[in-house]
Amino acid sequence: MTKYKVNDAAVKAARRLIDEGRYDTTTEWSDAAPSTSAENDVIEARGYDGYGEWHLAVDTEASEETKGRYRFPYGDFETVNRAALIHAKQRASQNDHDEVEKAADSLLELLDRTDG
């Protein structure tokens, strides 16, 4: 099974966005998830580092210049999406990615405290 490394830059960016109030607590992730075209636009504008900043984990065995290197998205390239964090936490838990699960949970707790 693939082991993922927590993407510390993404976690930091998500915390900053939450602190700035740039989050969505109502839209389902299936409706908010970026399209392939939007993903490609972000890669073209910000490179793979900019794309990766929206994903809580990195597959260190995957090629650096690929979308497949980045896993567990948490937002739509503009805002943190609460449903995406829940989805990431659940998927990480189901697949024994403990550190990714903890990172998603920590962000959820911050978001819930901030939004509450």
Side-chain angles (χ1 to χ4, degrees):
M1 177 179 3
T2 303
K3 284 291 188 186
Y4 296 109
K5 177 183 173 212
V6 171
N7 185 350
D8 293 325
V11 173
K12 183 178 179 178
R15 286 184 182 284
R16 179 180 43 77
L17 290 167
I18 292 168
D19 288 343
E20 292 173 358
R22 293 176 53 194
Y23 54 81
D24 178 352
T25 59
T26 59
T27 307
E28 292 297 322
W29 182 232
S30 58
D31 295 328
S35 66
T36 300
S37 176
E39 291 177 341
N40 292 339
D41 289 347
V42 167
I43 291 168
E44 187 174 318
R46 305 179 203 165
Y48 280 95
D49 287 340
Y51 175 79
E53 218 174 68
W54 287 90
H55 296 78
L56 298 178
V58 175
D59 176 352
T60 58
E61 295 177 9
S63 298
E64 289 187 26
E65 298 290 313
T66 63
K67 289 181 188 178
R69 181 171 174 83
Y70 303 99
R71 300 289 186 208
F72 301 95
Y74 68 84
D76 62 2
F77 305 123
E78 297 293 328
T79 59
V80 174
N81 181 278
R82 186 175 190 281
L85 289 173
I86 291 169
H87 181 72
K89 179 182 172 183
Q90 290 172 339
R91 210 176 57 174
S93 174
Q94 291 167 348
N95 293 291
D96 298 319
H97 302 302
D98 298 337
E99 295 304 311
V100 177
E101 178 186 2
K102 288 177 190 173
D105 188 52
S106 173
L107 291 168
L108 271 170
E109 288 176 4
L110 175 62
L111 180 57
D112 289 345
R113 281 194 312 269
T114 303
D115 190 53

